[in-house]
Amino acid sequence: QVQLVESGGGLVQAGGSLRLSCAASGSTFNINTMGWYRRAPGKQGELVAQISSGGNTNYADSVKGRFTISRDNAKNTVYLQMNSLKPEDTAVYYCIADLKSTGQDYWGQGTQVTVSS
């Protein structure tokens, strides 16, 4: 099993920046892809960014050029640097990870990001 704990959310003005962190514990040797998913009230959930164990990244079109995902495998931590934030980025952001052996996915408890206009 894997446990994921997010940190770094908060309130920021439009145009500002935040950095989210997600620390993994447990069977971290078995983690394949890590990423960030967000849910906002009244909106469909969105996979924001993913990074493979080898460092390959994917981004949602809505955040390309503004968000950067990175990963420190030695610390079992994934980061999401969010720049040029917009009010529409307001959501609960969840760290996600899946296992190499089973493909089973795990979720963190979520961290709130609020961007004021």
Side-chain angles (χ1 to χ4, degrees):
Q1 288 202 352
V2 171
Q3 295 78 41
L4 304 171
V5 178
E6 302 102 332
S7 61
L11 173 65
V12 65
Q13 287 188 329
S17 299
L18 281 175
R19 187 193 195 207
L20 304 183
S21 300
C22 171
S25 60
S27 300
T28 57
F29 64 93
N30 202 10
I31 293 176
N32 184 18
T33 301
M34 298 187 76
W36 294 90
Y37 190 92
R38 66 185 180 186
R39 285 197 183 114
K43 295 184 179 180
Q44 194 168 4
E46 182 178 38
L47 179 60
V48 175
Q50 282 183 302
I51 184 166
S52 71
S53 55
N56 294 319
T57 58
N58 286 299
Y59 296 92
D61 288 342
S62 59
V63 306
K64 280 181 181 176
R66 300 188 297 123
F67 290 11
T68 302
I69 190 169
S70 61
R71 181 171 177 171
D72 186 334
N73 289 326
K75 294 182 179 180
N76 300 312
T77 301
V78 64
Y79 305 95
L80 186 68
Q81 178 66 43
M82 305 185 293
N83 299 327
S84 302
L85 282 161
K86 304 175 181 179
E88 50 264 44
D89 294 318
T90 295
V92 177
Y93 284 70
Y94 296 90
C95 179
I96 56 176
D98 62 69
L99 300 186
K100 297 174 186 176
S101 57
T102 65
Q104 182 175 357
D105 58 280
Y106 291 86
W107 293 65
Q109 81 285 358
T111 185
Q112 177 71 46
V113 171
T114 303
V115 184
S116 62
S117 57

